[in-house]
């Protein structure tokens, strides 16, 4: 009975929030959770639950899966706004359930914060779990990557649902052995792309075999520690691949799987990984290739994830980067583009960003391709300026501004193409101000 | 051309928290003055280095798991390291390496992991695993009778005791223990500290102290380092000192 009233109260609150045009984020979930920490158990559904987790790429992959399933005519409930902690998921369920906690949908699709997988799915039956990658991320808040992986591994020991894993990230692929009795493990992989390297170019994690501690051997690295690896001692990494992306052509924004060409919006290698995961999930649920193709060719997030804008006629590409790998892949996109360009890097150190900004020293700023000027901003504008200067970029071409408005004005003094990298709390203010500057938003 | 040789210990294992940035800052400030720098890396399975062949030995912090593996390896060089310190080779040790050079590290379960026993201090982990000294930190240090502030970031569970001479006095943050007044360990040619950030990135005076020390020792002179353009560093320090100390 208590749960009935919690849901009723939250539904009323949701209506009030709607009247005031507020989304509420994970507020409903927070209140409900405080009322009853076991509220998750109360929700009932008969449909498959799909979850996506990773350090980077959760929102994009999750939303693209939801989008594709919707395009197939299914009713999908998903936390597309990115509220991915326990309370965020409860919020999404509260908004979509009956007063008795029943959720009528064909699919529930959730992006879940890495550390919340064991918590959320302790009480909530999971049909498919997708894991994309693990990178170092806000060490002062999250702790070391290894302890996080061990917690997920523990959860997976008793999990028998579909498990879709990136075979090119050793820290993800290892999870396929957590439960040897689970026959529903599927690995995906992406073939070598044009800018793959023989040696690791950016900070990475998977150096030693998690099973026998031997140094892993890499045929090539795509980015960070993601690439074709193998353990020379115990053969870890040599898995049968369920979906393999081939003929990666980022210039023309397409790749192939099983001789079918998929066109995508965006030109980064990590997108190919995200979309290969999407295709793996959708294939398991027998979504037609044609619908998947159409969905991928029209899908984009437009919320600062590789968002492309025209600001007073100047091409501007904005990308979120909240950890070294996110920044490094953004710089990869910049370096793979031969046009002259200017970079704006916005770095904040608010609670949600992590107070520790030392991760910027794991970003590879060496040999930037045709970058004529760099503007820095955010509460740590000077830290990032020092970092870039130390990498060898001419300090006369670096302009730090603590004030974001000044930074954006300085950025658009020229009409050279712009790349914008912003970390977590700086992303939305930066987008908003750039759009405002360009007259795209009031 | 004058040259500084750096030995970078376990770069593949002690590589968290951007500590590698210290090597980059040293390289930048040495090369900007027209000197040359050689950076040799040593890790497990590599040929044994002679620590006496270097001007600076650097080691950073790492994941707990990896730290215990390399503790076993490093102990092989104990005598060579002691000798090099006695001869005046500069040692810059951050976080995990700072702990490793002490008498021992006592983990949460009470197990004693022996250190190199080069210095007299020892470290005990905090009984509550979740409670760590994490945050921005500012300390006041004295280098060649000159007082200056050093800004960094600390993230450690270990509490270090029995420090004969600290690196600095804490102005903001924790230090060797929760709410401590002292941070790190110092002697003329040794800085052992919990400060990440990386340590040298926002503290050019400290970096230049190390560079001058090495050149003076190696070339037996009293060198005056050429001034560099430290505009960003100075602005950064002003901003952060205002934020943390006021």
């Amino acid at each position: 009975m208590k749960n009935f009233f919690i849901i009723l109260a939250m539904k009323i609150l949701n209506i009030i929030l709607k009247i005031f045009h507020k989304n509420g984020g994970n507020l409903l979930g927070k209140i409900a959770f405080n009322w009853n920490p076991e509220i998750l158990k109360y929700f009932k559904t008969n449909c498959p639950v799909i979850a996506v987790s990773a350090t980077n790429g959760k929102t994009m992959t999750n939303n693209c899966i939801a989008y594709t399933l919707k395009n197939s005519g299914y009713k999908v409930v998903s936390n597309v706004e990115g509220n991915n902690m326990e309370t965020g998921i409860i919020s999404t369920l509260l908004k979509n359930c009956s007063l008795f906690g029943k959720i009528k949908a064909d699919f529930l699709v959730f992006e879940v914060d890495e550390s919340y997988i064991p918590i959320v799915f302790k009480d909530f039956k999971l049909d498919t779990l997708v894991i994309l990658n693990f990178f170092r991320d806000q060490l002062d808040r999250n702790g070391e990557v290894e302890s996080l992986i061990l917690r997920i591994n523990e959860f997976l020991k008793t999990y028998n649902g579909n498990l879709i894993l990136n075979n090119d990230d050793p820290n993800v692929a290892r999870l396929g052995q957590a439960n040897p009795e689970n026959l529903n493990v599927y690995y995906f992989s992406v073939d070598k792309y044009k800018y793959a390297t023989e040696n690791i170019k950016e900070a990475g994690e998977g150096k030693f075999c998690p099973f026998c501690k031997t140094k892993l051997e890499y045929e090539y690295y795509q980015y960070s520690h993601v690439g074709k690896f193998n353990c020379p001692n115990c053969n870890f990494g040599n898995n049968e691949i369920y979906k393999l992306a081939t003929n990666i052509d980022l210039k023309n924004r397409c790749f192939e799987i099983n001789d079918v060409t998929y066109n995508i919006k965006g030109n980064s290698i990590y997108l190919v990984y995200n979309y290969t995961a999407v295709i793996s999930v959708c294939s398991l649920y027998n979504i037609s290739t044609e619908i998947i193709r159409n969905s991928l060719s029209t899908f984009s997030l437009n919320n600062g994830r590789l968002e492309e804008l025209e600001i007073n006629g100047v091409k501007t590409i904005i990308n979120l980067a909240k950890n070294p790998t996110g920044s490094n892949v953004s710089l990869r996109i910049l370096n793979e583009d031969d046009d002259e360009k200017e970079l704006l890097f916005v770095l904040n150190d608010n609670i949600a960003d992590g107070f520790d900004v030392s991760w910027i020293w794991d970003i590879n700023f060496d040999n930037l391709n045709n970058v004529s000027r760099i503007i820095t901003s955010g509460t740590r504008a000077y830290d990032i300026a020092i970092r870039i200067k130390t990498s060898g970029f001419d300090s006369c071409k670096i302009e730090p501004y603590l004030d974001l408005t000044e930074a954006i004005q300085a950025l658009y003094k020229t009409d050279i193409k712009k790349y914008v990298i912003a970390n977590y709390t700086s992303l939305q203010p930066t987008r908003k101000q750039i759009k405002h500057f360009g007259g795209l938003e009031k | 051309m004058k040259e500084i040789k750096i030995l970078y210990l376990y770069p593949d294992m002690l590589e968290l928290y951007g500590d590698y940035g210290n090597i980059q800052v040293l390289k930048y400030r040495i090369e900007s003055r027209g000197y040359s720098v050689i950076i040799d890396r040593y890790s497990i399975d590599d040929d044994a280095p002679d620590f006496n062949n270097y001007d600076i030995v650097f080691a950073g912090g790492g994941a707990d798991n990896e730290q215990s593996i390399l503790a076993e390896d490093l102990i092989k060089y104990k005598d060579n390291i002691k000798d090099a310190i006695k001869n005046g080779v500069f040692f810059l040790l951050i976080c995990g390496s700072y702990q490793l050079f002490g008498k021992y590290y006592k983990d949460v379960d009470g197990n004693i992991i022996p250190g190199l026993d080069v210095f007299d201090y020892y470290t005990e982990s905090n009984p509550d695993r979740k409670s760590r000294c994490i945050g921005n930190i500012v300390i006041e240090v004295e280098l060649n009778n000159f007082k200056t502030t050093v800004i960094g970031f600390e993230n450690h569970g270990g509490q270090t005791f029995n420090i004969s001479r600290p690196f600095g006095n804490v102005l903001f943050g924790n230090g060797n223990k929760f709410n401590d007044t002292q941070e790190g360990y110092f002697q003329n040619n040794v800085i052992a500290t919990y400060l990440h950030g990386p340590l040298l990135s926002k503290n050019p005076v400290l970096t230049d102290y190390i560079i001058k020390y090495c050149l003076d020792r190696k070339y037996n002179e009293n060198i005056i380092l050429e001034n560099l353009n430290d505009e960003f560093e100075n602005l950064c320090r002003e901003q952060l000192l205002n934020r943390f100390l006021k």
Side-chain angles (χ1 to χ4, degrees):
Chain A
M1 213 48 189
K2 182 182 170 187
N3 291 321
F4 176 87
F5 283 110
I6 294 175
I7 291 174
L8 180 65
M10 290 308 107
K11 293 249 176 224
I12 294 167
L13 180 58
N14 192 32
I15 292 167
I16 297 168
L17 285 170
K18 268 189 185 159
I19 293 170
F20 289 99
H21 301 286
K22 293 264 190 269
N23 173 281
N26 57 359
L27 179 73
L28 297 179
K30 257 188 182 161
I31 299 172
F33 182 84
N34 283 339
W35 230 326
N36 177 13
E38 305 263 286
I39 185 98
L40 257 180
K41 284 185 186 164
Y42 184 69
F43 296 106
K44 288 173 281 292
T45 183
N46 295 321
C47 72
V49 179
I50 300 168
V52 180
S53 201
T55 308
N56 293 342
K58 289 183 283 280
T59 306
M60 184 166 277
T61 308
N62 174 72
N63 292 19
C64 187
I65 292 170
Y67 177 73
T68 310
L69 293 173
K70 271 182 195 163
N71 287 346
S72 309
Y74 291 115
K75 181 174 191 287
V76 180
V77 167
S78 181
N79 56 343
V80 287
E81 300 97 358
N83 298 308
N84 61 20
M85 295 194 258
E86 189 178 14
T87 49
I89 287 160
I90 295 171
S91 290
T92 305
L93 292 171
L94 282 167
K95 286 178 193 169
N96 291 284
C97 70
S98 73
L99 287 172
F100 300 99
K102 206 157 167 50
I103 299 136
K104 277 196 190 146
D106 298 311
F107 286 97
L108 298 189
V109 184
F110 292 119
E111 76 162 90
V112 185
D113 183 277
E114 310 86 278
S115 52
Y116 281 89
I117 295 173
I119 299 163
V120 171
F121 298 109
K122 183 170 54 109
D123 300 319
F124 208 76
K125 195 177 171 295
L126 186 57
D127 199 54
T128 295
L129 175 62
V130 187
I131 301 181
L132 304 169
N133 51 56
F134 290 114
F135 301 113
R136 54 184 65 185
D137 183 29
Q138 300 183 11
L139 294 165
D140 58 321
R141 296 180 73 216
N142 300 338
E144 291 160 7
V145 186
E146 181 65 19
S147 54
L148 173 75
I149 297 165
L150 290 176
R151 284 202 301 276
I152 296 173
N153 194 67
E154 197 57 38
F155 165 78
L156 290 175
K157 280 180 181 171
T158 54
Y159 173 73
N160 279 299
N162 298 320
L163 184 58
I164 298 180
L165 301 173
N166 178 358
N167 197 57
D168 296 347
D169 182 341
N171 276 332
V172 174
R174 68 194 264 196
L175 296 172
Q177 298 183 37
N179 179 7
E181 276 158 32
N182 186 357
L183 301 174
N184 306 306
V185 181
Y186 302 89
Y187 299 93
F188 66 90
S189 174
V190 174
D191 224 1
K192 189 175 179 179
Y193 94 117
K194 191 179 163 191
Y195 297 94
T197 51
E198 211 173 288
N199 296 308
I200 191 159
K201 198 177 166 215
E202 300 120 351
E205 308 304 321
K207 296 184 188 82
F208 299 93
C209 174
F211 302 105
C212 70
K213 304 286 170 210
T214 308
K215 206 166 200 166
L216 293 176
E217 286 178 358
Y218 273 78
E219 210 171 286
Y220 55 84
Y221 293 88
Q222 306 269 41
Y223 71 97
S224 185
H225 63 258
V226 174
K228 185 155 189 173
F229 72 91
N230 177 258
C231 172
N233 182 45
C234 73
N235 212 19
F236 161 59
N238 193 6
N239 295 307
E240 191 191 324
I241 303 299
Y242 175 62
K243 294 288 171 195
L244 172 70
T246 56
N247 296 323
I248 321 303
D249 182 352
L250 293 181
K251 199 163 181 216
N252 293 307
R253 305 187 174 197
C254 62
F255 63 90
E256 288 177 16
I257 288 181
N258 300 339
D259 297 325
V260 176
T261 301
Y262 294 88
N263 294 298
I264 56 171
K265 291 187 157 192
N267 55 349
S268 168
I269 183 66
Y270 73 82
L271 290 179
V272 181
Y273 276 90
N274 294 349
Y275 291 138
T276 306
V278 172
I279 293 166
S280 303
V281 174
C282 293
S283 302
L284 279 183
Y285 292 103
N286 299 317
I287 308 300
S288 85
T289 307
E290 223 21 63
I291 287 172
I292 301 174
R293 279 193 68 218
N294 285 333
S295 300
L296 292 198
S297 67
T298 51
F299 176 78
S300 65
L301 271 179
N302 283 333
N303 65 351
R305 268 80 166 182
L306 268 187
E307 187 172 4
E308 299 182 359
L309 299 169
E310 287 267 333
I311 301 298
N312 305 331
V314 179
K315 193 172 178 195
T316 303
I317 297 137
I318 306 176
N319 205 11
L320 165 76
K322 47 186 176 164
N323 48 40
T325 304
S327 310
N328 282 325
V329 288
S330 292
L331 290 180
R332 261 178 191 268
I333 300 163
L334 174 152
N335 283 328
E336 288 163 15
D337 175 358
D338 289 329
D339 293 351
E340 185 184 6
K341 75 266 303 174
E342 297 183 327
L343 170 68
L344 167 65
F345 200 119
V346 192
L347 179 69
N348 277 351
D349 66 344
N350 296 319
I351 291 182
D353 302 304
F355 295 132
D356 184 8
V357 295
S358 63
W359 60 270
I360 59 175
W361 291 79
D362 284 332
I363 306 174
N364 188 344
F365 284 101
D366 292 353
N367 308 318
L368 295 175
N369 180 12
N370 208 357
V371 175
S372 43
R373 194 170 59 123
I374 298 179
I375 313 277
T376 70
S377 191
T379 54
R380 292 293 195 137
Y382 300 127
D383 282 79
I384 187 76
I386 296 169
R387 167 68 193 105
I388 295 167
K389 176 184 96 163
T390 310
S391 75
F393 191 84
D394 184 356
S395 63
C396 301
K397 295 179 186 164
I398 305 173
E399 301 172 28
Y401 299 90
L402 287 178
D403 185 87
L404 185 59
T405 312
E406 281 178 40
I408 288 166
Q409 277 165 1
L411 181 69
Y412 287 100
K413 270 183 192 157
T414 68
D415 54 8
I416 298 166
K417 189 175 189 176
K418 314 295 179 197
Y419 276 81
V420 178
I421 299 177
N423 76 331
Y424 199 61
T425 67
S426 68
L427 178 69
Q428 295 312 333
T430 304
R431 276 184 79 218
K432 212 173 160 185
Q433 289 219 27
I434 287 178
K435 285 186 169 181
H436 178 75
F437 184 86
L440 303 178
E441 224 169 60
K442 268 189 229 165
Chain B
M1 201 203 297
K2 290 193 169 75
E3 171 193 277
I4 289 182
K5 276 182 83 176
I6 303 177
L7 178 63
Y8 179 13
L9 293 178
Y10 309 105
D12 56 341
M13 299 171 90
L14 295 177
E15 42 85 63
L16 278 185
Y17 311 110
D19 288 334
Y20 169 60
N22 291 309
I23 297 272
Q24 289 175 290
V25 175
L26 279 167
K27 182 174 185 291
Y28 179 81
R29 298 187 74 83
I30 293 169
E31 287 181 342
S32 295
R33 292 173 167 120
Y35 307 125
S36 76
V37 62
I38 291 175
I39 299 159
D40 286 344
R41 292 152 193 261
Y42 168 79
S43 196
I44 292 177
D45 296 338
D46 290 344
D47 294 339
D50 182 351
F51 288 74
N52 281 303
N53 283 345
Y54 292 91
D55 303 300
I56 302 175
V57 175
F58 171 79
D64 290 344
N65 182 29
E66 281 156 353
Q67 218 146 285
S68 61
I69 301 174
L70 67 89
E72 279 174 43
D73 184 72
L74 194 60
I75 219 122
K76 292 190 288 201
Y77 306 107
K78 185 173 162 175
D79 292 338
N80 189 222
I81 288 171
K82 277 189 165 172
D83 194 42
I85 292 173
K86 206 176 73 196
N87 290 336
V89 173
F90 199 97
F91 278 69
L92 178 59
L93 309 166
I94 314 281
C95 199
S97 314
Y98 166 27
Q99 297 172 347
L100 215 55
F101 273 62
K103 278 190 174 315
Y104 64 83
Y105 179 86
K106 192 164 146 190
D107 72 14
V108 186
D109 306 315
N111 302 314
I112 301 254
I113 299 154
L116 273 185
D117 200 11
V118 175
F119 306 116
D120 284 338
Y121 57 77
Y122 58 89
T123 305
E124 296 186 352
S125 67
N126 195 43
D128 177 3
R129 262 176 228 267
K130 281 182 186 157
S131 160
R132 294 168 69 87
C133 301
I134 301 181
N136 291 296
I137 176 166
V138 181
I139 60 174
E140 186 178 58
V141 305
E142 198 178 311
L143 305 165
N144 292 334
N145 300 317
F146 176 76
K147 279 191 179 173
T148 181
T149 48
V150 170
I151 308 169
F153 193 92
E154 59 179 336
N155 186 350
H156 56 103
Q159 310 286 295
T160 301
F161 299 88
N162 198 32
I163 292 287
S164 50
R165 188 176 167 194
F167 174 42
N169 294 317
V170 180
L171 302 180
F172 178 80
N174 287 293
N176 285 327
K177 302 180 277 292
F178 280 106
N179 300 313
D180 202 351
T181 54
Q182 301 184 333
E183 204 293 321
Y185 170 82
F186 181 73
Q187 59 188 55
N188 274 353
N189 61 322
V190 177
I191 291 173
T193 173
Y194 279 116
L195 267 63
H196 302 291
L199 171 71
L200 301 181
S201 65
K202 286 182 276 284
N203 302 295
V205 171
L206 175 62
T207 314
D208 287 353
Y209 166 83
I210 298 172
I211 295 170
K212 178 176 158 53
Y213 171 91
C214 293
L215 292 171
D216 285 355
R217 172 177 171 264
K218 190 167 193 171
Y219 298 100
N220 200 17
E221 57 185 302
N222 186 5
I223 209 157
I224 295 166
L225 292 176
E226 182 194 331
N227 283 331
L228 299 178
N229 177 0
D230 290 335
E231 187 197 347
F232 297 158
E233 286 85 348
N234 294 336
L235 285 166
C236 188
R237 289 174 60 80
E238 192 188 324
Q239 178 215 0
L240 295 179
L241 289 174
N242 264 324
R243 212 172 110 181
F244 301 145
L245 299 184
K246 281 185 182 161

